[in-house]
């Protein structure tokens, strides 16, 4: 292969140009050497350094030299003079522009071109830019008799940014591999035929998304070359439209973060929000209606900030949406409508539409396009005012969305949604937890480019590994289907034994419960063999509506859950809102760090009427079925005293005495509480370790932040030490459970049970597999391994030891 040498005044510039060019030919290393700068930071060129670079780049087929300006050319000529004759004959100084020329030269060299051909390619590299910017048209190629009579085909460019440098390089590299002359033209623009083996000429086609291109070829492998081009075009030249780096086209490989196990294969479906129907409602007074607007704005602002925190190309869009929410003109219009007696939804909808219509009327097409942004964000606020989930899936397939709020995830229908791909989110966000509990495979944290995947593109995803393949080839699809079959065989085996208790190999029973967020979850928990509901997230009864459920409604809902579980114990956690779970009808002040703010029990103490009502409903239920009541986000013993006092008041208000079998416990999710476990133990019956929050607080890694998904691993020895502290502080009387997502992690069962945990509560669909994992544990061995894990440096080491 011919080598390349870059002679340049700046070392940094040369290296960056080489990196850019190398990206065009992944997996095909071209020998490129750099002779640039006098040192890392001083500009200049040096003939001796150029000679050294030439010697290093020459693998026998010679070298093409590209230079930047002025003395670079002189130094290169001087270097050439100093070379031995036979060496000098193999070196060609190329007059091409450095960056464009290097890219074209690299692609040509990777395709096996000779020195002169590489230099010609590089020299013509400005043609694409020139023709794009209206410089004199590139002369049409002389028609080639061989290609004119050879096989041909047409295809449409599917890449959203057209046949830009990377897909064009892919095309050129592929074509060069054939013993054929291949030509290509843009039928949509009527361009002349150009050689498809020339990157610079392909660039002159100006091929945009949707353009129809024609390819023809002559020579021994003409047919194969044409077929290959058409196949590549069908795969969007292995770029697929806007395919994110974490999504692999056509072949298995890297992915995002595994968030909900299972295999999903189906077409991309984007979440459609759309304008919701406006209910016929009268104003409840200007103050109340304006408060609804403010509450909805706060929710949407928070959601947008969360999405924005994911970073990436969409940040600017979210910034623009956030600005719109504070638009003085829009808000003044809404306020004036409300003051004239209009209800909040109508006032917001009319003002938003007026603003969007103003954008519609603008002459500038870019600004006109902003009307869509106005409608998107005002619809989002309208949905929040109405207490509706934002996401709605149109048709069945793989749902692709920026992120899912808990309310949206709760409405996923596994019959329709065969998988979920999220640009943002993390495996312990509430959206991911709900996807798991619905049994919908999900991969999260894929980055914003996943949102550009065209609707209908086939996706294969593995929610256990995080792997995502776009437009998979037949063999890949077959592999995914095989995995699905294996998984289903394993699940069938586990399901057959799911109703039986989980007992370790050395005879210790471990209860495996289910985390339940709805009646449907409770039914699923029962059919999956859950021994109890180890966590009922009662907040899902309070979300997605305009006012809180009253005592009767709560009692009925809790009883229905108990009924679905056939009388098994239910662990009712009191309202755990704040953080990523706001209530639309309980206005919350803005908090810089909501996860460190008024959440869980703190929120309940700020709204004692809500907690009192909920405790009354729980006490009523506890007279009929076995109930455990659990308080979330407890940090101090005094909070337990206060919560227990309110519980006693509820018992007194009910007037039927202490409910039989009522157990009282707390979530252990604040690191300080975990370390003080012994102080809590005399005042409760059980501890339930919420590893989702415990992990985020212990590692200072927000649970919804995809950038921290790997860091926020509950198997980090720091987190395990906190779990160990809880188990030791609990003593013999207090029962310890884990209800965070870690409990369902394949590697976790031996470690958690080894530390002393005797109950695991997981998504309903995970119950059978977790029971199987417990059955494989030998507690004596597990206890030793668990203590060893505490001394390991990080989660990766723990996983390696556990063989996962
Ligand atoms: C936890 O924090 O681990 C937990 C189970 O509670 P949630 O996920 O509902 O915050
Ligand atoms: Mg929690």
């Amino acid at each position: 292969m011919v080598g390349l040498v870059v002679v340049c005044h700046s070392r940094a510039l040369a290296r960056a140009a080489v990196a850019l060019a190398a990206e065009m030919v992944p997996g095909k290393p071209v020998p490129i050497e750099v002779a640039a700068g006098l040192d890392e930071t001083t500009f200049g060129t040096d003939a001796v350094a150029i000679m050294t670079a030439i010697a290093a780049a020459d693998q026998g087929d010679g070298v093409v030299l590209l230079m930047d300006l002025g003395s670079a050319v002189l130094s290169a000529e001087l270097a050439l003079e100093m070379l031995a004759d036979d060496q000098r004959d193999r070196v060609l100084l190329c007059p091409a522009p450095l960056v464009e020329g290097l890219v074209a030269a690299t692609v040509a060299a990777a395709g096996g071109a000779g020195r002169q051909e590489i230099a010609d390619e590089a020299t013509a590299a400005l043609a694409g830019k020139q023709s794009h910017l209206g410089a004199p048209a590139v002369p049409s190629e002389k028609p080639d008799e061989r290609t004119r009579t050879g096989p041909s085909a047409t295809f449409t460019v599917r890449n959203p940014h057209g046949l830009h440098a990377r897909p064009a390089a892919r095309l050129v590299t592929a074509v060069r591999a054939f013993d054929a002359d291949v030509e290509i033209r843009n039928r949509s623009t009527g361009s002349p035929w150009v050689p498809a083996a020339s990157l610079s000429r392909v660039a002159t086609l100006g091929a945009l998304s949707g353009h129809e291109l024609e390819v023809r070829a002559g020579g021994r492998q003409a047919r194969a070359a044409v077929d290959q081009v058409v196949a590549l075009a069908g795969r969007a030249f292995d770029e697929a439209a806007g395919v994110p780096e974490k999504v692999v086209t056509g072949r298995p490989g890297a992915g995002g973060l595994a968030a909900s196990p299972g295999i999903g294969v189906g077409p991309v479906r984007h979440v459609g929000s759309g304008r919701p129907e406006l209910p016929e409602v009268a104003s409840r007074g200007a103050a109340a209606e304006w408060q609804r607007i403010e509450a909805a704005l706060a929710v949407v602002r928070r959601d947008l900030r969360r999405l924005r925190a994911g970073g990436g190309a969409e940040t600017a869009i979210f910034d623009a949406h956030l600005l719109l929410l504070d638009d003085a003109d829009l808000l003044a219009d809404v306020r004036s409508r409300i003051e004239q007696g209009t209800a909040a939804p109508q006032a917001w909808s009319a003002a938003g539409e007026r603003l969007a219509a103003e954008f519609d009327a603008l002459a500038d097409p870019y600004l006109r396009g902003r009307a869509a942004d106005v409608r998107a964000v005002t619809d989002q606020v309208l949905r929040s005012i109405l207490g509706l989930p934002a996401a709605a899936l149109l048709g069945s397939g793989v749902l692709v969305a920026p992120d899912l709020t808990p309310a949206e995830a709760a409405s996923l229908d596994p019959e329709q949604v065969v998988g979920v791909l999220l640009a943002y989110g993390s495996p312990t966000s509430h959206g991911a937890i709900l996807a798991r509990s619905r049994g919908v495979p999900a991969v999260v944290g894929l980055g914003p480019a996943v949102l550009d995947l065209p609707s209908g593109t086939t996706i294969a995803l593995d929610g256990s590994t995080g792997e995502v393949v776009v437009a998979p080839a037949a063999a890949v699809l077959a592999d995914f289907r095989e995995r699905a079959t294996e998984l289903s065989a394993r699940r069938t085996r586990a399901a057959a034994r799911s109703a039986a208790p989980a007992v370790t190999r050395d005879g210790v029973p471990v209860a495996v419960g289910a985390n339940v967020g709805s009646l449907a979850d409770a039914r699923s928990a029962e059919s999956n063999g859950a021994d109890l509901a180890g966590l009922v997230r009662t907040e899902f009864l309070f979300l997605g509506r305009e006012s809180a459920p009253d005592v009767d409604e709560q009692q009925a809902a809790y009883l229905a859950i108990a009924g679905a579980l056939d009388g098994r114990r239910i662990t009712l956690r009191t309202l755990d809102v704040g953080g990523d779970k706001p209530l639309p009808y309980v206005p919350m002040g803005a908090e810089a760090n909501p996860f460190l703010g008024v959440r869980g029990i703190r929120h309940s103490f700020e709204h004692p009427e809500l907690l009192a009502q909920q405790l009354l409903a729980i006490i009523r239920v506890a007279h009929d079925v076995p109930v455990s009541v659990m308080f979330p986000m407890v940090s101090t013993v005094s909070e337990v005293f206060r919560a227990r006092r309110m519980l006693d008041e509820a018992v007194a208000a009910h007037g039927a005495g202490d409910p039989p079998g009522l157990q009282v416990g707390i979530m252990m999710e604040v690191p300080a509480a975990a370390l003080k476990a012994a102080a809590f133990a005399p005042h409760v019956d059980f501890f339930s370790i919420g590893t989702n929050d415990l992990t985020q607080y212990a590692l200072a890694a927000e649970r919804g932040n995809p950038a921290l998904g790997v860091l926020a691993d509950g198997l980090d020895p720091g987190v395990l030490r906190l779990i160990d502290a809880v188990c030791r502080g609990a003593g013999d009387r207090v029962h310890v459970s884990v209800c965070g997502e870690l409990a369902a992690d394949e590697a976790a069962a031996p470690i958690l049970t080894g530390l002393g945990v005797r109950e695991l509560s997981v998504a309903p669909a995970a119950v059978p597999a977790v029971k199987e994992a417990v059955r494989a544990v030998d507690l004596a061995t597990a206890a030793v391994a668990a203590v060893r894990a505490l001394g390991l440096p990080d989660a990766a080491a723990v996983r390696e030891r556990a063989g996962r």
Side-chain angles (χ1 to χ4, degrees):
M1 189 184 294
V2 173
L4 304 176
V5 170
V6 177
V7 180
C8 176
H9 281 73
S10 155
R11 202 164 284 175
L13 176 61
R15 284 190 184 139
V18 171
L20 177 70
E23 263 215 2
M24 304 296 157
V25 288
K28 295 202 167 197
V30 173
I32 309 180
E33 293 294 326
V34 161
L38 299 183
D39 56 36
E40 286 297 320
T41 50
T42 316
F43 295 152
T45 54
D46 170 8
V48 176
I50 297 171
M51 286 173 68
T52 314
I54 290 172
D58 190 355
Q59 299 184 340
D61 292 326
V63 169
V64 173
L65 227 104
L66 292 117
M67 298 139 277
D68 66 349
L69 13 137
S71 66
V73 181
L74 299 178
S75 300
E77 285 174 336
L78 183 59
L80 223 61
E81 274 172 30
M82 297 193 300
L83 288 177
D85 289 350
D86 63 324
Q87 238 187 331
R88 186 184 313 118
D89 291 346
R90 292 203 303 275
V91 179
L92 205 60
L93 300 191
C94 171
L98 186 66
V99 175
E100 288 89 344
L102 182 62
V103 169
T106 305
V107 174
R115 288 194 300 272
Q116 191 56 55
E117 197 185 346
I118 291 173
D120 289 347
E121 258 297 282
T123 309
L126 275 184
K129 195 153 72 182
Q130 281 165 339
S131 89
H132 180 84
L133 295 177
V138 181
S140 100
E141 293 292 313
K142 227 169 38 170
D144 180 325
E145 198 50 34
R146 286 204 309 162
T147 57
R148 220 156 37 84
T149 52
S152 68
T154 56
F155 61 86
T156 304
V157 177
R158 301 247 168 259
N159 304 60
H161 304 298
L163 213 52
H164 66 90
R166 240 164 295 180
R170 182 77 186 87
L171 167 76
V172 171
T173 312
V175 159
R176 281 181 170 275
F178 290 95
D179 178 10
D181 292 328
V182 184
E183 291 184 301
I184 193 160
R185 70 168 169 165
N186 188 339
R187 284 169 65 120
S188 300
T189 60
S191 83
W193 288 99
V194 299
S198 162
L199 186 66
S200 51
R201 306 311 305 278
V202 170
T204 65
L205 294 176
L208 303 177
S209 182
H211 278 185
E212 199 185 36
L213 266 55
E214 188 171 6
V215 56
R216 68 184 185 188
R220 195 173 64 78
Q221 292 183 305
R223 167 51 59 201
V226 168
D227 289 350
Q228 172 70 344
V229 171
V230 172
L232 265 178
R235 304 200 309 260
F237 298 93
D238 288 351
E239 183 196 41
V243 171
E245 279 169 17
K246 293 170 180 172
V247 177
V248 177
T249 307
R251 66 198 156 78
L257 300 169
S260 176
I263 304 287
V265 176
V268 167
R269 302 279 183 221
H270 289 280
V271 162
S273 43
R275 175 141 299 192
E277 289 217 351
L278 290 178
E280 296 281 326
V281 283
S283 168
R284 288 179 247 168
E289 297 300 324
W290 182 249
Q291 207 182 17
R292 291 174 77 192
I293 300 281
E294 285 197 318
L297 286 172
V299 169
V300 174
R301 252 186 226 117
R302 194 213 42 160
D303 285 351
L304 289 172
R305 286 202 189 105
R306 195 150 54 87
L307 292 174
R308 194 191 173 287
E314 302 258 310
T315 305
I317 297 175
F318 296 135
D319 279 342
H321 285 193
L322 279 164
L323 281 176
L324 269 170
L325 295 182
D326 290 326
D327 187 274
D329 175 50
L330 172 68
L331 296 182
D333 188 5
V334 176
R335 194 179 258 286
S336 112
R337 287 171 198 266
I338 282 179
E339 276 162 8
Q340 284 161 28
T342 309
Q346 278 74 9
W348 179 265
S349 169
E353 195 41 48
R354 180 195 58 78
L355 186 62
E358 276 175 20
F359 276 93
D360 276 335
L362 294 173
D364 183 293
Y366 174 78
L367 291 175
R368 243 192 348 259
R370 296 311 94 210
D373 283 335
V374 174
R375 291 202 171 90
V377 77
T378 53
D379 284 355
Q380 206 175 336
V381 175
L382 189 54
R383 288 181 166 272
S384 176
I385 296 172
L386 297 171
L388 297 172
L393 181 68
L394 309 169
S396 69
V398 175
L399 182 144
V400 176
D403 198 357
L404 292 179
T405 65
E408 289 162 357
S411 61
L412 289 178
D413 175 1
E415 296 289 312
Q416 293 275 306
V417 185
V418 299
V420 170
L421 299 184
L422 297 184
Y424 307 101
S426 84
T428 50
S429 68
H430 283 103
I433 291 171
L434 283 158
R436 266 197 294 278
S437 84
R438 318 286 300 137
V440 177
V443 179
V444 304
L446 286 158
V450 76
L451 304 172
D452 294 335
L453 287 171
S455 288
T457 311
T458 301
I459 295 288
L461 67 113
D462 184 339
S464 318
T465 61
E467 208 176 313
V468 176
V469 184
V470 175
V476 174
L477 212 51
D479 173 53
F480 268 79
R481 297 228 152 96
E482 201 173 301
R483 281 194 236 175
T485 313
E486 257 171 44
L487 185 66
S488 113
R490 240 186 302 137
R491 284 184 173 163
T492 310
R493 271 197 307 277
R497 311 207 287 170
S498 67
V503 180
T504 63
R505 276 162 46 195
D506 36 3
V508 177
V510 175
V512 179
N515 296 345
V516 169
S518 65
L519 183 54
D521 280 353
R523 292 195 180 112
S524 165
E526 200 279 333
S527 63
N528 279 297
D531 300 323
L532 75 159
L535 165 61
V536 178
R537 290 189 167 98
T538 61
E539 51 277 13
F540 293 105
L541 183 60
F542 292 72
L543 291 167
R545 52 191 293 157
E546 286 194 61
S547 56
D550 63 16
V551 179
D552 290 343
E553 185 181 347
Q554 290 188 53
Q555 180 186 1
Y558 305 151
L559 274 176
I561 283 175
L565 279 156
D566 218 6
R568 295 175 181 88
R569 175 168 289 275
I570 57 171
T571 310
L572 294 167
R573 182 175 70 183
T574 61
L575 195 53
D576 182 17
V577 292
D580 66 342
K581 290 180 283 189
L583 280 187
Y585 46 88
V586 178
M588 279 187 270
E591 293 183 311
N593 291 301
F595 277 119
L596 302 180
V598 184
R599 298 188 57 185
I601 194 75
R602 306 169 189 176
H603 185 277
S604 291
F605 289 152
E606 287 224 343
H607 302 276
E609 67 298 340
L610 274 181
L611 180 59
Q613 294 212 335
Q614 185 170 34
L615 290 175
L616 184 55
I618 291 173
I619 293 298
R620 285 192 197 166
V621 174
H623 277 282
D624 292 339
V625 292
V627 166
S628 297
V629 61
M630 173 156 81
F631 299 105
M633 283 292 295
V634 170
S635 321
T636 65
V637 177
S638 63
E639 288 170 341
V640 177
F641 292 158
R642 183 168 171 191
R644 288 208 73 134
R645 264 198 313 276
M646 289 186 70
L647 188 65
D648 290 343
E649 283 160 20
V651 171
H654 182 51
D658 284 337
L662 179 71
Q663 302 234 316
V664 181
I666 58 171
M667 293 282 294
M668 277 290 184
E669 43 194 353
V670 176
L675 295 172
K676 296 183 290 187
F680 289 95
H683 312 294
V684 295
D685 301 307
F686 67 93
F687 294 144
S688 186
I689 306 176
T691 48
N692 306 334
D693 280 314
L694 188 65
T695 305
Q696 79 162 340
Y697 296 134
L699 287 160
E702 193 211 305
R703 60 193 278 179
N705 189 333
L708 306 175
V710 174
L711 176 65
D713 191 329
L715 285 184
D716 183 281
V719 180
L720 295 180
R721 281 172 188 238
L722 290 168
I723 296 173
D724 181 51
V726 174
C727 292
R728 282 185 291 113
D732 291 339
R733 196 187 58 81
V734 174
H735 180 75
V736 180
S737 159
V738 171
C739 64
E741 294 309 302
L742 182 65
D745 192 308
E746 280 181 64
I751 295 173
L752 296 177
T753 53
L755 290 175
V757 172
R758 289 295 174 267
E759 179 187 313
L760 300 169
S761 193
V762 298
V767 168
V770 171
K771 283 194 167 183
E772 288 290 280
V774 168
R775 291 179 188 124
V777 168
D778 174 67
L779 217 44
T781 319
V784 176
V787 171
R788 282 216 188 102
L790 299 180
L792 293 175
D794 52 28
V798 176
R799 289 190 181 280
E800 198 184 313
R801 276 281 174 113
R804 317 270 171 183

